[in-house]
Amino acid sequence: MWPGINDVTKYVMSKTMTINKSDWKNAVFLKSVDDIKKLKNSEGSDIQVHGSGNLVQTLLKHDLVDELWLQTYPITLGQGKKLLDDGTIPAAFTLTDSLVTPNGVIFANYKRAGEVKTGTVGA
């Protein structure tokens, strides 16, 4: 389903997996935010998070996010998990790419842009 996924290193943080063992090849378990900081400061590819809102919130709270790739769907469900929850630090991002599909899904990619600057919408 995801060609090449077993060939690359995967970093895992889990509250439910207590054994440092995975059926995935090349899986490395991280135990703390300090482990993520060390990984981020090392040489290698970008760190990507797929399917973990909790981990994204942790990364945002510790200023470890360089890019956001967001998808907005034109529906409201009334409940759900917030991406930007309590504890998220203020950070500025610049739009680097966007696409709106014919059915209204918005794909927006943002790159970290330093400190937050307040002003008007047009500024």
Side-chain angles (χ1 to χ4, degrees):
M1 187 162 126
W2 197 350
I5 191 65
N6 279 322
D7 298 330
V8 298
T9 302
K10 291 155 291 296
Y11 296 92
V12 180
M13 283 194 81
S14 175
K15 291 181 182 178
T16 59
M17 295 178 79
T18 55
I19 302 172
N20 286 346
K21 187 175 179 188
S22 172
D23 291 337
W24 276 359
K25 290 184 349 186
N26 302 318
V28 175
F29 283 77
L30 304 175
K31 294 181 172 94
S32 68
V33 171
D34 286 336
D35 288 347
I36 296 171
K37 288 178 182 178
K38 287 177 194 169
L39 179 63
K40 183 175 174 10
N41 291 325
S42 68
E43 292 294 321
S45 300
D46 293 343
I47 300 170
Q48 299 178 6
V49 177
H50 297 271
S52 177
N54 289 338
L55 181 54
V56 170
Q57 287 178 353
T58 299
L59 296 175
L60 286 166
K61 288 176 186 177
H62 289 89
D63 197 18
L64 293 171
V65 175
D66 296 321
E67 290 185 55
L68 293 170
W69 294 24
L70 304 177
Q71 298 173 17
T72 305
Y73 291 81
I75 61 171
T76 56
L77 300 175
Q79 296 183 7
K81 188 157 187 75
K82 296 176 184 178
L83 175 63
L84 306 174
D85 206 359
D86 293 336
T88 300
I89 64 160
F93 290 84
T94 299
L95 183 68
T96 58
D97 194 16
S98 65
L99 170 75
V100 180
T101 68
N103 62 349
V105 178
I106 301 169
F107 292 83
N109 299 352
Y110 297 90
K111 191 170 202 99
R112 185 66 189 269
E115 298 299 316
V116 173
K117 296 175 187 162
T118 60
T120 63
V121 175

